[in-house]
């Protein structure tokens, strides 16, 4: 079998440990974005007008880094869980993985289409933000379900 | 595609776990092949045939539905 860019199995646990708090934070941030600006999470960002004035020292702005932090944490957690090997990685799990990935991309595409049809202006941006993560989320759900179903059937068919 | 994997295993008195270990795959894979949910790769099919000391065609059979694609 070809060497595939999958992470070692232990990454999965770390992924879940990361995911749970960041999911909670992400939901909180979605619900009440203004209350979730932590003061220690700001940084000074050079303004885009640098290209006009050429003098960025006088065009500093404060940017709240909380949402970037939460998004990156969520993405890292999701990636660690999604791209970690199973304990016994072989062609069957690869087959299941690819099937789950295909499912997830198809479902996500439908999700995007429905979003475009039914949601407009700023809620649209919020839903599209969720869309960044939904491919991995749907994949994880589907893949874990397939693996669980296999384990169940294996338990029944003891021979 | 049908296969006689379970019969061959019974002849040699092998469990799924034994066969899986010999092949270097997980037990789920062997179970999936036996129940017809997964068609093994050529390499795996050849390994299976070698373990049971029989030609591949005597373990794996094409069915009517398999011909529909050609």
């Amino acid at each position: 079998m070809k060497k595939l860019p999958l992470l070692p199995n232990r990454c999965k646990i770390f992924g879940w440990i990361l995911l749970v708090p960041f999911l909670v934070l992400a939901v909180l941030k979605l619900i009440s974005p203004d209350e979730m600006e932590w003061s220690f999470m700001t940084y000074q960002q050079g303004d885009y007008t640098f290209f006009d004035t050429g003098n960025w020292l006088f065009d500093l702005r404060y940017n709240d880094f909380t949402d970037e932090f939460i998004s990156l944490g969520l993405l890292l957690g999701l990636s660690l869980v999604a791209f970690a090997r199973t304990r016994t990685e072989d062609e069957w799990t690869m087959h299941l993985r690819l099937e789950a990935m295909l499912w997830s991309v198809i479902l996500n595409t439908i999700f995007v289409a429905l979003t475009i049809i039914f949601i407009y202006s700023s809620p649209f941006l919020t839903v599209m933000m969720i869309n960044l993560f939904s491919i991995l989320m749907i994949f994880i759900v589907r893949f874990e379900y397939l693996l669980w179903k296999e384990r169940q059937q294996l338990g029944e068919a003891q021979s | 595609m049908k296969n006689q994997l379970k019969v061959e295993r019974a002849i040699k008195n092998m469990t799924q776990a034994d066969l899986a270990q010999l092949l270097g795959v997980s037990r789920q894979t062997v179970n999936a092949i036996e129940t017809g949910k997964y068609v093994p790769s050529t390499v795996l099919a050849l390994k299976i045939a070698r373990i049971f000391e029989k030609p591949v065609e005597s373990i794996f059979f094409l069915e009517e539905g398999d011909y529909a694609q050609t």
Side-chain angles (χ1 to χ4, degrees):
Chain A
M1 258 191 78
K2 280 191 288 192
K3 196 98 205 282
L4 283 147
L6 289 175
L7 302 165
N9 183 244
R10 266 178 292 133
C11 287
K12 211 171 204 174
I13 316 273
F14 288 120
W16 284 114
I17 294 174
L18 263 183
L19 248 192
V20 173
F22 275 102
L23 257 179
V24 172
L25 286 173
V27 171
L28 286 175
K29 180 72 177 174
L30 272 179
I31 295 173
S32 53
D34 301 316
E35 288 167 26
M36 280 288 293
E37 289 187 9
W38 302 330
S39 55
F40 67 90
M41 280 258 156
T42 59
Y43 72 96
Q44 293 183 339
Q45 184 189 17
D47 205 311
Y48 55 85
T49 59
F50 163 72
F51 295 103
D52 302 329
T53 66
N55 209 345
W56 70 276
L57 277 174
F58 296 105
D59 294 320
L60 292 174
R61 278 226 194 117
Y62 278 94
N63 185 26
D64 161 49
F65 202 56
T66 333
D67 43 358
E68 274 90 358
F69 175 69
I70 294 176
S71 304
L72 280 177
L74 194 60
L75 202 62
L76 186 64
L78 285 173
S79 306
L80 285 178
V81 175
F83 301 130
R85 292 174 192 273
T86 54
R87 235 172 287 138
T88 45
E89 183 76 28
D90 57 12
E91 51 187 70
W92 172 226
T93 56
M94 184 50 54
H95 177 91
L96 290 179
R97 175 174 276 122
L98 289 179
E99 196 186 300
M101 201 50 101
L102 182 66
W103 250 72
S104 141
V105 173
I106 291 176
L107 278 180
N108 196 53
T109 311
I110 295 175
F111 178 36
V112 172
L114 288 175
T115 309
I116 294 172
I117 295 172
F118 290 114
I119 305 181
Y120 298 92
S121 72
S122 45
F124 179 73
L125 288 175
T126 315
V127 181
M128 285 309 262
M129 246 175 18
I130 299 173
N131 218 19
L132 294 171
F133 308 101
S134 55
I135 297 185
L136 285 179
M137 283 191 205
I138 300 173
F139 165 72
I140 290 170
V141 167
R142 176 72 184 163
F143 189 48
E144 295 299 320
Y145 167 70
L146 284 175
L147 288 177
W148 175 83
K149 211 169 61 156
E150 288 309 308
R151 275 198 295 268
Q152 293 295 101
Q153 289 187 349
L154 200 61
E156 286 165 11
Q158 290 287 350
S159 68
Chain B
M1 194 204 73
K2 289 185 299 186
N3 64 67
Q4 272 202 308
L5 203 57
K6 203 161 188 177
V7 174
E8 297 296 332
R9 259 196 321 114
I11 292 173
K12 285 229 165 178
N13 210 14
M14 234 189 247
T15 63
Q16 284 184 342
D18 294 335
L19 183 59
Q21 195 162 27
L22 281 174
L23 290 172
V25 295
S26 63
R27 224 190 104 200
Q28 269 110 323
T29 313
V30 175
N31 190 45
I33 298 174
E34 275 183 18
T35 53
K37 271 185 295 186
Y38 177 63
V39 178
S41 68
T42 317
V43 172
L44 200 57
L46 287 167
K47 278 189 192 172
I48 292 172
R50 178 167 289 193
I51 287 173
F52 293 125
E53 289 153 342
K54 290 199 175 167
V56 176
E57 279 92 348
S58 67
I59 306 178
F60 298 99
F61 314 102
L62 282 176
E63 286 178 293
E64 274 309 309
D66 295 325
Y67 286 103
Q69 289 160 358
T70 51

